[in-house]
Amino acid sequence: MTDNKNRRLVQGVLVSLNGITSEPLTWAGPYFGDGSAEHSLAALERSGGMLMGRRTYEVFSRQWPKATGPYADFLNRMPKFVFSSTLAKAEWNNTTVIGGDVVKEVRALKEAEGDDLVVYGHGRFGQTLVDAGLVDELNLTIVPVFVPDGVPFFRDGGDEHRWELVRAGQGHDPGLANLTYRPAVTER
């Protein structure tokens, strides 16, 4: 858990009813309306930077630079950090490629002054952050759809982590549910 001087790392994940997190653009879109857009923009505006792995960067950097509107405008101008050992240069403005030790580099970003950091999704990069104990808040948006195949949120090979539920409720559009967790404080 971070202290008051450090930035928090907030991870937002779209999850289908059967636990799939991959390719949310193909199944979550119909459930997102004005309420979700408003909430997403407010969350983004509280963030001082976005962290992502190479795959998320590839999707976002194709979609968002050409988009317009308040969300796209903020996302395009905010600092972005892509963690990759294979990407040499980022074309998306305000994006820094970091090729070193993910855990060490994210720790350094968290220790710097500034607003919270955000990461979307839960691929290999997201799992690495959770396993390293770097995620301070996990926001799950449950989308009311069963996805026939894809990468599950709960994958074999990850470390065990305990979380405390701090908020639960209806999502910002019909059918969605939001769950917010923070790492459980363990007794020593």
Side-chain angles (χ1 to χ4, degrees):
M1 196 68 122
T2 61
D3 62 31
N4 292 337
K5 295 183 296 187
N6 292 344
R7 298 166 129 176
R8 294 177 330 125
L9 179 58
V10 178
Q11 185 178 32
V13 184
L14 298 173
V15 183
S16 71
L17 285 176
N18 59 326
I20 300 298
T21 60
S22 60
E23 305 296 329
L25 290 176
T26 63
W27 48 265
Y31 298 95
F32 277 71
D34 292 341
S36 294
E38 226 174 89
H39 174 75
S40 294
L41 177 58
L44 197 64
E45 288 175 335
R46 289 189 301 271
S47 303
M50 175 181 279
L51 282 57
M52 63 192 97
R54 181 187 52 83
R55 290 183 186 152
T56 300
Y57 170 78
E58 288 173 348
V59 171
F60 278 37
S61 67
R62 281 192 306 266
Q63 177 183 356
W64 291 108
K66 298 174 190 136
T68 59
Y71 186 89
D73 292 346
F74 191 88
L75 184 60
N76 285 320
R77 72 176 175 263
M78 79 182 301
K80 294 170 284 293
F81 304 91
V82 60
F83 292 81
S84 173
S85 60
T86 58
L87 186 66
K89 181 181 176 193
E91 300 296 327
W92 193 8
N93 65 316
N94 297 325
T95 301
T96 302
V97 177
I98 300 175
D101 180 317
V102 170
V103 172
K104 178 183 171 190
E105 297 292 343
V106 171
R107 260 197 197 104
L109 285 171
K110 286 182 66 173
E111 290 170 359
E113 287 188 32
D115 293 327
D116 290 348
L117 300 166
V118 65
V119 61
Y120 289 150
H122 192 74
R124 287 186 347 199
F125 177 67
Q127 186 68 44
T128 297
L129 299 176
V130 167
D131 285 346
L134 294 170
V135 176
D136 299 293
E137 186 171 285
L138 183 58
N139 294 316
L140 305 178
T141 298
I142 312 303
V143 181
V145 62
F146 286 100
V147 178
D149 56 27
V151 178
F153 183 67
F154 306 103
R155 290 191 280 291
D156 291 339
D159 296 337
E160 180 179 328
H161 299 278
R162 299 196 182 270
W163 298 83
E164 291 180 44
L165 180 66
V166 293
R167 268 188 312 278
Q170 292 182 333
H172 301 284
D173 283 306
L176 300 175
N178 288 340
L179 303 171
T180 300
Y181 291 91
R182 292 198 181 123
V185 177
T186 57
E187 294 182 34
R188 303 228 186 258

